């Protein structure tokens, strides 16, 4: 199974549209992992039925008040301010905890036990046409998006497939890095505008740092020669596909319909896109 | 009606026990203005209501904290011996820390601290019964 | 009392709704302002504002562990205890990469071979532009703590606005509803939500509205590309009325924003006489009325 991450430096370039269209073009051979755990949106376009559901867990401390002497060593050890000494008790702010275990190591009275705790929900589902879609949702306010992303990526496929697609969160932060980590190839989606170019450049810088192979899909193309094709030619980056600017595609998208519904002629190209990687 | 009376009586009782109040401040003495921010203010003026003596508690280390500035600030106030806090806002997490340590929070407009002390003594300030902003980076 | 400085944050939830393009033209309608680009992951405002005289400083989101190979005796305890798999053996040396910043390894190392040093996570920048002073930033790829950087940019902009006696701070906010968005909204005076009539636009709008409600922040809505799906535009208007966050403007699906961007300009500069600009000027007036009263 090949893992292909779909990413983009900025949001709204058509990352989710492309993921959904690839799913349609490769039915029976593909599964989708929605790793945009703060804003999972793929299900809005796919309407899959739930098969499995489980929690993404993090080891979070529990303080035994009988053993605790309120020395504050755990509070001092926590770099994330998840523990606080307030009068005659230690308070825990679960959503700030990164699950590092520093508090347990620091406690001189053996008063801390670490409990696996749910910080997000993973849902494994199937669309009407039998394609598997995995969605991860981080509990609002929690700091550990990468933990939930890792849990999504760790799910066992419901059936054997040739490709798995990762819909990565936009931007180049730690969540993006966790989502694309370990992928065989990254498809970067961008548009031929100065904003698109700037954000593509940032994403490529991040991928270079991670030493991951990538190619570029240009969306909303108005002219054949544009600033993205120019940039890619100059740097010797692969342009995998160009999707023309079309009001019809935008209208279809606004109705929850896919790129292939609007432009059936793209289906062949989308098939080739993955097979040629 | 009855219950409200009892509650206000208890609150007043609680207030009469308050000696030291921490003010989130833009300057270092009682003449300076209140800083409406809590976790990210530059420091606190701790005022002793009986003697009207004041003390400056810097909040600088929090400006560099990776997360949870309000939580750390709340602990500093507790450690400094404050029995009440007066600020413009207070986030959820700091509120929880202060509440656990039985430190009431009162809200005030951005006025000179001296003036707020008079308002406090005249019972003119609102006590915060729940946090009014999200913690994070306020 | 202090001056009547007001801070308006432009957010969108979903990316690509035209938030930055709109912000760049909206600010043109106001005088006496400071601008903060808080989309620190993908800052784009500078591409249409003609910035110059940029000064930058390093930004630290916290500390990180660094192993001194001269002291390390390769016992491997740090790698074993690190729960983030950030320590690995490379060429017979333990190295830290993508440190989470928990400090566990520093404290458990029996040889005291691990230092705890200030980590640089990005740059904070200050520039001049035709529209006024602009504060912006750049987060290093893969770095955490963008929320803190957002707060730092806003803080700088506020200090500057106070010293100038400015009337407005305009914040181009980050996408999403996570920590960076929260950091951009806390303590502001009002939020302008830019959305589009699509399923994800609607979905994310509702989540941002929840966030604004949570902060008791007055919010106003702009629908971009409203003519793509008039039924859904109507639905957004209804949501706005129901939740007390009125739709103040509707912009059509238009190529002018892209045309302006290709010239490195805002719509306000490239097409000042366009119909779109009339709508934006109108929006600016409404915002002034709502926020200043």
């Amino acid at each position: 199974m090949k893992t292909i991450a779909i990413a983009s430096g900025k949001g709204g370039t058509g990352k989710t549209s492309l993921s959904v269209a690839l799913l349609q073009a490769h039915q029976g051979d593909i599964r989708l992992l929605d790793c945009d755990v703060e804003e999972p949106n793929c299900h809005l376009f796919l309407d899959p039925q739930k098969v499995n559901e489980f929690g993404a867990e993090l080891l979070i401390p529990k303080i035994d008040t009988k053993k605790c002497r309120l020395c504050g060593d755990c509070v001092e050890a926590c770099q994330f301010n998840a523990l606080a000494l307030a009068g005659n008790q230690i308070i825990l702010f679960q959503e700030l905890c990164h699950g590092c275990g520093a508090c347990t190591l620091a406690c001189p009275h053996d008063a801390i036990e670490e409990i696996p705790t749910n910080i997000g929900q993973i849902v494994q589902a199937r669309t009407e046409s039998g394609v598997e879609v995995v969605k991860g949702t981080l509990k609002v306010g929690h700091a550990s998006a990468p933990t939930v992303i890792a849990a999504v990526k760790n799910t066992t496929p419901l059936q054997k497939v040739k490709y798995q697609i990762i819909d990565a969160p936009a931007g180049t932060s730690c969540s993006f890095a966790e989502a694309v980590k370990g992928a065989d190839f990254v498809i970067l989606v961008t548009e031929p505008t100065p904003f698109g170019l700037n954000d593509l450049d940032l994403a490529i810088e991040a991928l270079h740092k991670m030493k991951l192979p990538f190619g570029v899909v240009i969306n909303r193309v108005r002219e054949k020669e544009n600033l993205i094709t120019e940039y890619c030619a100059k740097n010797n980056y692969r342009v995998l596909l160009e999707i023309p600017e079309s009001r019809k595609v935008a209208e279809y998208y606004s109705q929850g319909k896919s790129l292939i519904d609007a432009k059936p002629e793209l289906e062949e190209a989308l098939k080739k896109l993955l097979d040629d990687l | 009606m009855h219950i409200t009376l009892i509650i206000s009586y208890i609150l007043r009782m609680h207030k009469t026990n308050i000696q030291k109040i921490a003010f989130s401040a833009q300057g270092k003495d009682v003449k300076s203005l209140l800083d409406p921010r809590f976790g990210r203010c530059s420091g606190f003026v701790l005022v002793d209501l009986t003697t009207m003596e004041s003390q400056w508690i810097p909040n600088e280390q929090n400006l560099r904290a990776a997360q949870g500035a309000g939580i750390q600030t709340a602990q500093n106030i507790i450690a400094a011996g404050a029995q009440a806090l007066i600020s413009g806002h207070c986030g959820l997490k700091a509120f929880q820390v202060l509440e656990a340590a039985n430190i009431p929070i009162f809200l005030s407009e951005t006025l000179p601290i001296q003036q707020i002390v008079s308002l406090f003594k005249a019972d003119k300030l609102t006590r915060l019964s729940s946090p009014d902003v999200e913690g994070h980076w306020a | 009392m202090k001056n009547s400085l007001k801070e308006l944050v432009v957010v969108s939830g979903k990316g690509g709704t035209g938030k930055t393009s709109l912000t760049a033209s909206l600010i043109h309608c106001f005088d006496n302002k400071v601008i903060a680009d808080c989309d620190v992951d993908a800052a784009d405002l500078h591409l249409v504002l003609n910035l110059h005289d940029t000064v930058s400083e390093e930004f630290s989101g916290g500390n990180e562990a660094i192993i001194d190979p001269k002291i390390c005796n390769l016992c491997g305890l740090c790698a074993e205890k690190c729960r983030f798999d950030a320590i690995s053996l490379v060429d017979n040396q333990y190295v830290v990469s993508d440190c989470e910043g928990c400090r566990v390894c520093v404290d458990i190392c029996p040889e005291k071979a691990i230092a705890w040093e200030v980590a640089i996570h990005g740059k904070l920048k200050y520039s001049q532009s035709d529209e006024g002073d602009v504060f912006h930033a750049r987060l290093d790829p893969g770095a955490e703590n963008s929320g803190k950087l957002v707060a730092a940019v806003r803080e700088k902009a506020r200090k500057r606005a106070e010293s100038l006696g400015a009337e407005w701070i305009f914040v181009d906010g980050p996408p999403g509803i996570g920590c960076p968005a929260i950091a951009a909204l806390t303590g502001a005076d009002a939020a302008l939500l830019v959305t589009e009539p699509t399923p994800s636009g609607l979905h994310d709008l509702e989540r941002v509205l929840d966030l604004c409600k949570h902060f008791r922040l007055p919010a106003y809505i702009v629908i971009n590309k409203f003519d793509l799906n008039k039924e859904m535009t109507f639905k957004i208007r209804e949501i706005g009325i129901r939740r007390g966050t009125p739709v103040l403007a509707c912009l059509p699906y238009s190529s002018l924003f892209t045309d302006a961007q290709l010239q490195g300009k805002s719509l306000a500069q490239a097409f000042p006489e366009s119909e779109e600009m009339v709508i934006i000027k109108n929006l600016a007036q409404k915002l002034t009325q709502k926020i200043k009263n």
Side-chain angles (χ1 to χ4, degrees), chain A residues 43-57:
Chain A
H43 64 284
L44 297 174
F45 298 89
L46 294 163
D47 193 29
Q49 295 296 309
K50 193 196 305 179
V51 179
N52 265 331
E53 185 171 10
F54 47 93
E57 289 178 341

Side-chain angles (χ1 to χ4, degrees), chain A residues 75 80-81 84-86 93 96, chain B residues 67-68 71-72 75 93 96-97:
Chain A
V75 176
F80 307 108
N81 285 324
L85 179 58
F93 293 98
L96 296 186
Chain B
Q67 57 177 32
I71 297 170
Q72 221 183 321
Q75 293 178 92
K93 298 189 177 78
Q96 286 171 330
V97 175

Side-chain angles (χ1 to χ4, degrees), chain A residues 98 114 172 205 222 253, chain C residues 83 100 138 142 200 253 259:
Chain A
H98 287 218
E114 290 181 63
T172 54
E205 188 189 329
R222 303 206 294 189
Y253 177 81
Chain C
R83 297 207 181 148
E100 183 88 2
R138 162 94 157 80
S200 24
Y253 182 84
D259 294 338

Side-chain angles (χ1 to χ4, degrees), chain A residues 86-99:
Chain A
N88 52 4
Q89 57 181 305
I90 305 271
I91 319 183
L92 165 72
F93 293 98
Q94 218 190 70
E95 58 276 36
L96 296 186
C97 179
H98 287 218

Side-chain angles (χ1 to χ4, degrees), chain C residues 138-156:
Chain C
R138 162 94 157 80
L139 195 68
D140 287 345
E144 237 189 306
N145 267 319
S146 49
K148 194 184 168 190
L149 183 53
V150 166
V153 173
R154 275 182 70 201
E155 183 68 31
K156 293 249 170 198

